[in-house]
């Protein structure tokens, strides 16, 4: 069995590949995400994305922020060999919206904002409110787990090298 630190260093790129693939999928095959989560009505890139390009002599970091920020710089960075390392996402299910940041390195979810919940008026309402909050947090966690599981299945398939890499390269070169 691999030591945790060795495995982390050896496979750390997978999360960044996942986020890069997720961006590609959102732009080109968003209906595919409904296979992962039947409750998903939309998944959108939010107001922040971080890309990194590791070169022989250093690290170049590109951060795109803002509600109306275009992603052209990100596509240019992808063309130069960068990978998405962090992404802000809006997950929509029915009339509800969750917003969160997802780091590629660890698949860590941060800054999670869940839909509004009903207030508590009595002590008896507290247990229901806690359970509702847990459900709302779990919804995003299960989506990320399902999407990553789907990605890993695709990543280890023959389809990845034969088809997916070329499709992603065409997208990057076509749009930048």
């Amino acid at each position: 069995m691999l030591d945790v630190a060795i495995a982390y260093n050896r496979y750390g790129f997978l999360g960044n590949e996942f986020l890069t693939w997720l961006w590609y999928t959102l732009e080109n095959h968003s209906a595919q995400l409904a296979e992962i989560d039947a409750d998903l009505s939309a998944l959108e890139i939010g107001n922040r994305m971080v890309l990194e390009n590791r070169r022989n002599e250093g690290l170049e970091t590109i951060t795109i922020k803002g509600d109306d920020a275009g992603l052209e710089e990100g596509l240019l960075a992808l063309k130069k060999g960068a990978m998405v390392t962090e992404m802000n996402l809006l997950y929509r299910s029915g009339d509800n919206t969750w917003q969160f940041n997802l780091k590629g390195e660890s698949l860590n979810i941060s800054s999670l904002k869940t839909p509004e919940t009903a207030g508590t008026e009595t002590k008896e309402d507290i247990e229901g409110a806690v359970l509702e909050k847990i459900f709302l947090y779990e919804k995003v966690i299960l989506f990320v787990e399902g999407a990553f599981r789907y990605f890993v299945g695709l990543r280890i398939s023959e389809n990845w090298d034969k088809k997916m890499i070329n499709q992603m390269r065409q997208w990057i070169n076509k749009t930048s």
Side-chain angles (χ1 to χ4, degrees), residues 13-175:
F13 68 92
L14 264 179
N16 297 339
E17 278 189 8
F18 167 65
L19 291 181
T20 305
W21 167 83
L22 187 59
W23 182 12
Y24 163 79
T25 302
L26 285 170
E27 295 281 329
N28 298 284
H29 306 288
S30 59
Q32 209 174 45
L33 297 172
E35 297 173 22
I36 297 166
D37 184 348
D39 294 336
L40 176 73
S41 57
L43 184 69
E44 301 167 17
I45 296 173
N47 58 10
R48 186 169 189 272
M49 183 184 293
V50 179
L51 298 97
E52 289 182 358
N53 192 355
R54 297 191 183 278
R55 297 185 180 200
N56 296 343
E57 299 173 12
L59 173 70
E60 178 182 30
T61 302
I62 300 93
T63 302
I64 303 167
K65 294 194 291 190
D67 290 331
D68 296 325
L71 299 175
E72 298 83 17
E73 294 89 0
L75 289 166
L76 183 60
L78 289 178
K79 194 172 190 175
K80 292 180 178 180
M83 301 277 280
V84 179
T85 59
E86 188 175 338
M87 186 183 291
N88 180 268
L89 293 167
L90 295 163
Y91 171 92
R92 299 184 198 282
S93 178
D95 293 335
N96 295 317
T97 301
W98 290 253
Q99 185 169 1
F100 60 97
N101 293 327
L102 184 59
K103 277 185 100 64
E105 177 181 73
S106 59
L107 295 182
N108 185 34
I109 297 170
S110 63
S111 302
L112 175 59
K113 293 177 186 157
T114 61
E116 291 293 319
T117 59
T120 58
E121 295 178 14
T122 65
K123 285 188 176 184
E124 290 79 29
D125 293 343
I126 293 175
E127 182 179 350
V130 169
L131 291 174
E132 184 178 14
K133 242 350 176 181
I134 290 170
F135 169 78
L136 293 173
Y137 284 121
E138 186 178 46
K139 194 113 176 93
V140 167
I141 292 167
L142 291 175
F143 170 74
V144 171
E145 285 178 356
F148 188 69
R149 189 176 304 113
Y150 183 91
F151 165 76
V152 169
L154 179 64
R155 179 69 173 81
I156 62 175
S157 73
E158 290 179 12
N159 229 8
W160 183 261
D161 286 331
K162 290 182 178 177
K163 192 174 173 184
M164 186 55 60
I165 290 176
N166 289 332
Q167 288 176 351
M168 289 175 70
R169 281 187 183 137
Q170 287 173 0
W171 166 67
I172 292 166
N173 291 321
K174 179 184 80 169
T175 56

